[in-house]
Amino acid sequence: MKTDLQGMWQREGSDVSVRQRLYNVLRQAIIRMVLAPGQALSEKEIADLFAVSRQPVREAFIRLSEAGLVEVRPQRGTYVVGISRQAVLEARFIRESLEVAITLEAAKGALTESVLMELNELIERQRSCIERQDHDRFFFLDEMFHRTLAFSTGQIMAWNVIEDVKAQLDRVRYLSIPDSTPIPKLADQHQAIVDAIAASDSDAAEKAMSVHQREILNSLPELEHRFPDLFAGVGLAAPARST
């Protein structure tokens, strides 16, 4: 785990503040199950691992708590919480609503040819992850696809809202790749979205994005069955640990 966290810290880069860098790394570590539900987090250990003071670690824990990823228990410690099914469903609803609106905006002709080429290139890069079984890389490229679509239509605030609410959803999305939701299926769905946008077909674009955003509803029951220990309620009775 320590090696994984240090690698994520290095990949995050130093072009952001220590506070933001800490939050990004810990958020990704929880989403990717490097830090699993029920695991206790120590301010001192995290601070020592990244050679930072405890204050930005404490602030990162507070932000993670607000995102619904950890529970801060005064005098007892901080723990990674289980995946909340309700939070996943609510985040999915918000994300679908906003991304459908973004896609409709794009289908009205808001995208340039260069942006359409960029989106198609991202899909090809996603497909290159299939043979290599590079699930982490695909997850990153999936994020880039949706972020590029939002930013290219000028909907930066909408994307920020999506980012704020989708942490729990991202944990399920990460778990679903590759078995519950195979990469080729997701890449095909992305292609259907781009093709509809390129054809200025609003109805097809709306349908394609809705189908894509509802894919998680198909995989969620299976994931709950396969990974019951990762879902809400697990680990909240963990023993106290000094921070």
Side-chain angles (χ1 to χ4, degrees):
M1 182 194 74
K2 183 180 292 187
T3 302
D4 289 337
L5 287 174
Q6 288 174 328
M8 295 172 75
W9 178 259
Q10 293 301 321
R11 287 192 296 273
E12 182 65 24
S14 57
D15 57 340
V16 295
S17 68
V18 170
R19 289 173 176 80
Q20 187 63 44
R21 191 177 180 187
L22 272 170
Y23 174 74
N24 291 347
V25 168
L26 294 174
R27 184 181 188 276
Q28 285 302 311
I30 293 171
I31 287 170
R32 300 182 183 211
M33 303 298 165
V34 175
L35 297 172
Q39 186 164 344
L41 303 180
S42 164
E43 283 181 13
K44 183 179 185 305
E45 289 178 7
I46 296 294
D48 290 346
L49 179 64
F50 298 130
V52 299
S53 70
R54 292 176 64 170
Q55 181 60 32
V57 178
R58 189 174 299 118
E59 292 174 4
F61 284 0
I62 291 171
R63 290 183 64 188
L64 291 168
S65 176
E66 292 171 347
L69 294 176
V70 306
E71 181 180 14
V72 180
R73 290 186 161 191
Q75 311 306 319
R76 295 186 62 185
T78 299
Y79 300 93
V80 180
V81 302
I83 299 169
S84 165
R85 190 178 201 277
Q86 185 60 33
V88 170
L89 294 176
E90 290 180 6
R92 191 218 61 80
F93 179 85
I94 293 169
R95 183 170 190 181
E96 180 184 351
S97 299
L98 290 174
E99 292 229 32
V100 164
I102 289 168
T103 303
L104 287 172
E105 188 72 17
K108 293 176 183 177
L111 301 190
T112 64
E113 286 298 321
S114 63
V115 172
L116 289 170
M117 287 178 60
E118 182 180 357
L119 291 170
N120 279 308
E121 181 184 344
L122 283 168
I123 295 170
E124 288 306 307
R125 290 164 65 188
Q126 290 167 13
R127 294 191 190 283
S128 73
C129 297
I130 298 171
E131 186 174 345
R132 301 198 307 269
Q133 292 291 293
D134 192 344
H135 309 137
D136 282 353
R137 182 64 176 168
F138 176 81
F139 193 81
F140 170 78
L141 292 169
D142 186 12
E143 287 289 289
M144 286 297 297
F145 176 86
H146 290 278
R147 184 179 186 275
T148 299
L149 186 57
F151 274 53
S152 297
T153 56
Q155 301 304 323
I156 298 172
M157 186 176 295
W159 179 253
N160 289 339
V161 171
I162 292 169
E163 281 274 61
D164 285 344
V165 303
K166 72 185 183 72
Q168 290 277 21
L169 177 61
D170 282 349
R171 299 168 88 186
V172 176
R173 288 175 55 229
Y174 188 78
L175 275 179
S176 73
I177 302 169
D179 298 325
S180 298
T181 312
I183 292 176
K185 185 176 187 179
L186 294 173
D188 287 346
Q189 289 175 354
H190 288 161
Q191 191 65 64
I193 293 167
V194 173
D195 289 348
I197 290 171
S200 299
D201 188 335
S202 296
D203 290 340
E206 179 178 8
K207 181 179 179 180
M209 181 58 81
S210 290
V211 167
H212 182 55
Q213 293 300 330
R214 294 178 187 182
E215 186 63 41
I216 203 69
L217 297 176
N218 298 324
S219 58
L220 183 56
E222 178 192 347
L223 294 171
E224 289 177 303
H225 178 72
R226 288 174 58 198
F227 305 106
D229 290 350
L230 298 181
F231 283 79
V234 178
L236 298 185
R241 179 170 181 174
S242 171
T243 61

